[in-house]
Amino acid sequence: DIQMTQSPSSLSASVGDRVTITCRASQTISYYLNWYQQKPGKAPKLLIYAASSLQSGVPSRFSGGGSGTDFTLTISSLQPEDFATYYCQQSHSTPKTFGQGTKVEVK
Amino acid sequence: QLQLQESGPGLVKPSETLSLTCTVSGGSISSSSYYWGWIRQPPGKGLEWIGSIYFSGSTYYNPSLKSRVTVSVNPSKNQFSLKLTSVTAADTAVYYCARGDSSGYSEKIDYWGQGTLVTVSS
């Protein structure tokens, strides 16, 4: 299985901050990397697919980058509705593993 | 707008079989561009991919669960299902059904059900 490791596991930030979350794959996965946002009691929501493509309807303050084994999710200016947990997922091979999550909390 | 809705027992006894159904509305389950799958999330923990089924009938399972899991589809009812045998307390989780889009150059899970909590307890 491909292991996905996110860092940090949690972070504290303020509205307006620039936030970057990192995801590392245990082996190369090209650009087969998705990012999801999950709020408490809700299903995850797709933000970014293929490492850097913005899902329709997702605000442009979200962006993704990277390829191979190292990837980033950046929120350019954190908004109140962005406090949530973020997961990366590799879609390169089965099982389509997720990272352990990064919780973005209010500072 | 595509919608997915999980249904099934919220309580299952240890050693028994967990059975869930996902009903798809607002779109057809019979499309070669999509696949249908299950993901679970133990309380307070992260997401675990369980398995998926493609239009061709091909199925893919998480090796950690492969001996116990079956995903099947019922096109006539626009539903797909999950069966997980010999459950233990470790299988207690919120179970999500989801649609995967494999039509482009990369796969992504673009629609999710709301999730259903299944507790394994006697």
Side-chain angles (χ1 to χ4, degrees), chain B residues 3-106:
Chain B
Q3 291 187 322
L4 292 81
Q5 178 68 58
E6 305 89 351
S7 59
L11 181 64
V12 181
K13 290 182 169 54
S15 79
E16 295 190 344
T17 296
L18 180 160
S19 296
L20 295 174
T21 297
C22 183
T23 301
V24 179
S25 57
S28 174
I29 202 169
S30 300
S31 170
S32 59
S33 297
Y34 306 116
Y35 63 89
W36 308 93
W38 294 90
I39 296 102
R40 70 181 182 179
Q41 185 171 37
K45 296 189 178 180
L47 300 164
E48 180 180 29
W49 185 87
I50 298 171
S52 59
I53 186 165
Y54 286 71
F55 174 76
S56 62
S58 298
T59 53
Y60 298 86
Y61 300 131
N62 191 322
S64 68
L65 300 169
K66 188 173 184 178
S67 63
R68 299 194 291 130
V69 67
T70 303
V71 177
S72 59
V73 65
N74 186 337
S76 64
K77 292 187 176 181
N78 228 34
Q79 295 176 333
F80 62 103
S81 299
L82 169 71
K83 289 191 186 301
L84 183 65
T85 62
S86 304
V87 298
T88 69
D91 295 308
T92 294
V94 174
Y95 286 76
Y96 294 100
C97 63
R99 186 186 86 167
D101 183 348
S102 57
S103 61
Y105 48 89
S106 178

Side-chain angles (χ1 to χ4, degrees), chain A:
Chain A
D1 298 4
I2 297 176
Q3 306 302 316
M4 307 301 294
T5 304
Q6 291 181 229
S7 60
S9 295
S10 65
L11 65 90
S12 298
S14 301
V15 173
D17 285 352
R18 181 181 181 88
V19 170
T20 297
I21 298 167
T22 297
C23 179
R24 175 165 288 175
S26 61
Q27 62 190 72
T28 184
I29 57 170
S30 186
Y31 55 79
Y32 296 98
L33 192 285
N34 304 321
W35 288 98
Y36 301 87
Q37 175 194 68
Q38 186 180 35
K39 295 182 178 179
K42 300 295 186 181
K45 172 189 173 184
L46 178 66
L47 299 176
I48 301 286
Y49 64 96
S52 60
S53 296
L54 193 67
Q55 175 69 357
S56 176
V58 174
S60 59
R61 63 180 180 272
F62 291 93
S63 63
S67 67
T69 60
D70 295 313
F71 302 86
T72 57
L73 172 70
T74 298
I75 309 172
S76 61
S77 178
L78 197 66
Q79 297 302 299
E81 60 268 31
D82 300 336
F83 292 100
T85 300
Y86 294 83
Y87 293 93
C88 62
Q89 182 217 15
Q90 61 84 14
S91 60
H92 179 274
S93 56
T94 299
K96 309 282 175 72
T97 43
F98 293 87
Q100 82 278 16
T102 295
K103 187 173 184 179
V104 177
E105 300 176 297
V106 177
K107 191 171 187 178

